[in-house]
Amino acid sequence: MLVGCVDWKVSQLAKSAAVPSKTKKGGLMIRGCVLILLGCALATAGQLNPATALPDESVQPVDNVVRTVPQTAPSEPARQYWIVGEVDTIGGTTYDWFANGPIYRFMCNSPEYGIHALWMFSADRTTSFPDRNMRYNFYDYSTRSWNWIDPDYMASGVNVFAERSGYGNLDADPNTGIAWTVCHNGTPLRPVAARDLAPGAGIFEFCSSSPQAEAYQWPPIALNGDGKLQCALVDNATQDNLWYTRCNPWCTWQIPTSITGSGAEPMFPTHNIAASKQS
């Protein structure tokens, strides 16, 4: 079973599981595991000897009191549990406003290379989060380990962007196994794409959408079967309506196109995007 899960109280990204109920502040742990924890409770019920409904007829009454030998039912057999796999803590954050509407993709599998994991990171405990960034980790199938693990889980993983960033998501090129992500940053806000130089390398090159998609925000992406980047976004000025752009070839952004009739409402973005890996 391959399931993505994130829990923002104690965020758990499973190795083939990855997430997310909201809490306010405090350190959150991002966890990952190759196999989702499978709790199997197998209860074996023993046979109970029924208590006799009527007293033994061979027992003689004394002073109108019938004496019988009490019967004690056996205790319930102990239940047995099996847990398959293990849980790894692969990073942490104090920033838990990961999404405005639907949850974005924060984990994906490149079958020949490993598992990519992404989350929105900060170690700050104020309200401004000046160090906010997208942080990345990678489980390498060849070494059967995560690439960036520190005893202090807040130091695990690597930052993707060089400046304050956020609200990105993750996908992987089905042909190369390379991780792609995006964020919005800068003034005015604009989408910025990042792609790794090799599967799990953690060395990203960047492509800003300015000026074509300047003043747009909340830009989830998806890659299709050809590794072409598709992006859904909302304009920053009104924070209303849904727009679409793409980046193909690399660092060639298209001017956003309005998607009419999307039903988007001000200040409540509910958009996400997916793309077929077969076309």
Side-chain angles (χ1 to χ4, degrees):
M1 176 184 292
L2 186 63
V3 179
C5 70
V6 185
D7 183 305
W8 299 147
K9 175 62 178 176
V10 177
S11 299
Q12 294 189 332
L13 296 179
K15 290 176 184 173
S16 72
V19 204
S21 59
K22 279 194 174 183
T23 65
K24 283 300 173 187
K25 297 181 182 177
L28 308 178
M29 290 192 295
I30 312 297
R31 293 180 180 254
C33 61
V34 173
L35 295 175
I36 188 170
L37 296 183
L38 181 62
C40 300
L42 301 178
T44 55
Q47 298 295 325
L48 302 181
N49 295 321
T52 304
L54 298 175
D56 189 340
E57 293 181 359
S58 64
V59 178
Q60 298 299 318
V62 177
D63 298 330
N64 296 322
V65 175
V66 176
R67 303 182 183 276
T68 61
V69 178
Q71 299 186 27
T72 302
S75 60
E76 182 182 356
R79 297 184 179 183
Q80 302 181 43
Y81 300 87
W82 288 267
I83 296 179
V84 180
E86 61 186 53
V87 176
D88 295 329
T89 301
I90 64 170
T93 185
T94 59
Y95 196 93
D96 62 350
W97 295 302
F98 275 48
N100 297 297
I103 193 65
Y104 292 159
R105 183 188 305 106
F106 289 115
M107 176 171 284
C108 57
N109 179 41
S110 293
E112 297 180 7
Y113 302 98
I115 299 172
H116 309 274
L118 185 80
W119 64 97
M120 192 146 44
F121 169 80
S122 176
D124 188 66
R125 295 183 180 276
T126 67
T127 58
S128 58
F129 302 99
D131 62 340
R132 193 183 72 187
N133 209 311
M134 303 307 301
R135 184 160 283 202
Y136 172 76
N137 214 330
F138 179 75
Y139 182 84
D140 192 327
Y141 286 149
S142 66
T143 63
R144 300 183 66 82
S145 64
W146 292 92
N147 282 359
W148 300 279
I149 295 295
D150 191 276
D152 176 6
Y153 62 85
M154 291 293 290
S156 295
V158 292
N159 282 347
V160 175
F161 297 95
E163 59 183 300
R164 188 179 189 272
S165 306
Y167 296 96
N169 76 325
L170 176 71
D171 207 347
D173 190 319
N175 305 298
T176 63
I178 289 175
W180 288 56
T181 183
V182 70
C183 74
H184 68 215
N185 66 24
T187 305
L189 290 174
R190 80 290 304 271
V192 177
R195 66 179 182 183
D196 210 346
L197 295 184
I203 305 171
F204 292 88
E205 59 179 333
F206 310 108
C207 176
S208 172
S209 63
S210 181
Q212 292 90 341
E214 196 166 273
Y216 290 85
Q217 64 189 55
W218 298 318
I221 62 166
L223 302 180
N224 62 11
D226 296 329
K228 297 175 181 177
L229 184 151
Q230 322 292 320
C231 180
L233 60 175
V234 173
D235 76 283
N236 176 249
T238 65
Q239 298 188 346
D240 196 3
N241 299 322
L242 183 61
W243 299 75
Y244 164 81
T245 185
R246 60 186 178 183
C247 181
N248 181 62
W250 169 250
C251 220
T252 302
W253 286 88
Q254 180 187 72
I255 296 174
T257 302
S258 176
I259 301 177
T260 59
S262 62
E265 296 184 12
M267 299 299 293
F268 190 74
T270 58
H271 61 293
N272 209 335
I273 191 168
S276 171
K277 296 296 188 286
Q278 307 302 319
S279 61

